[in-house]
Amino acid sequence: MSRTRLLFAPGDLRGADSVDDAALVGAIGEVESAWVTAQASAGLVSADTRTAATGAVDAVTWELQADAEALAGLAADAESGGNPVIPFLTRVRARLTPEAGRALHRGLTSQDVMDSALGLLVTRTIAETRARLDVITEALRSLSEAHADTLCLARTLTQPALPTTFGLRVATWAAEVAEVAALTPRSDAVQVGGAAGTRAAIREFAGDRTEALLREFEVQLRGPDAALSPTPVPWHTDRVRVLTWATHFTQCVGVGSSIARNVLIGTRPEVGELALAATGGSSAMPQKTNPTVAVLLHRNGMRAPGLLATVATTGAEAVEERSDGAWHAEWPALSALMVLALSSLALLEEMVAGLSARPKAMRRNLDAAGPGIYGEKLTIVFGDRLSKDAITEILSGSGDPAELLGAALAATPGPVPDPAELEGYFAPSSYLGEAEGIRETIIRTTDPTTP
């Protein structure tokens, strides 16, 4: 029987297929086949041996991926050795002659295979996160352009602050997403260190063909371009790259959660500034249309930090030439972050596509914030003529603020602006500063076509 935990986390299904047990088995099979193929290319095994070994690997991989009970059996057998590579090899060798069995996994250690398999999964996951980040950035750029002039209330520490534009707010979301994309790490990691990171066994059987073997293995897993770069050194207990990957996945989750929090606030009926095209219902209250996609994004944001902390801890706990548990603790945390990143970006793309602004509600809330949001402006413009108490009185709501400002200025030396100019001091569009310039800068710098 297949055992999953997807019902505990709705939305995870969007990323699970890329990082589930079947995907890991497939990656392990790719690594083992690549190693045998590399030996054949380096003249270390015959073509017949390569065909037999890779054929057995493919057969076992297919059987495990197609049969949930067989996959569960592999998981049970993995306990004794602490990783799934060992029982996987047992199943493959059962199909091979002794000669072909010797070529399989020769000179490698389980960590080489697990790390290289995870490297494959990470590479594919990061390719998908980068593609989604670019799509989301473009969607946010378009939304920002559409609302460049839409006035709304800026809030700081949850309270009314100053006038701003919804276009600028969305542009800052685009900047966040674009920055995550720009920080996307390299992920084409392949591990070959042997039992203790010295490649002793590999050098022993490959001799002067060791470099050709290692190069071909890299090419098999990374593609032809790998032939142009130096062969990487082993990284059995150098886990900085793993923490870098985990950080990227956490950033993907975090940026989705941050934007979702803004949407959750804006779609509250009492705020009413935003609407989502796709929402969920309630099992008890038929009148409700819950912003479910944003809720799931927010939930993911609360799950990711603990997983990142685990990966950071495993890296700090890495010792000697192979860690006693830290390496093993890395896999579930990193794979969960990969699922969350894929899930979050899929949800975020959907949320942004279905997001619409309600300019009338934005203006209503802006006006309802009262004249207090112009306190900074009056202090800057008239601070040399009006006391703090006088400005507080003008903004108190006890009367028309323009008339109160005129009266206060008339009681001090200096000119008094005409009524129209006084009214203008309390117009939102008169105190936007460089909002549009900042927005345009963000749009320009997040445009991949900008030179």
Side-chain angles (χ1 to χ4, degrees), residues 244-263:
T244 300
W245 300 336
T247 300
H248 170 72
F249 298 136
T250 303
Q251 289 171 336
C252 291
V253 177
V255 73
S257 181
S258 173
I259 296 172
R261 286 287 290 123
N262 281 274
V263 171

Side-chain angles (χ1 to χ4, degrees), residues 401-417:
E403 292 180 1
L404 292 174
L405 174 59
L409 290 174
T412 66
V416 177

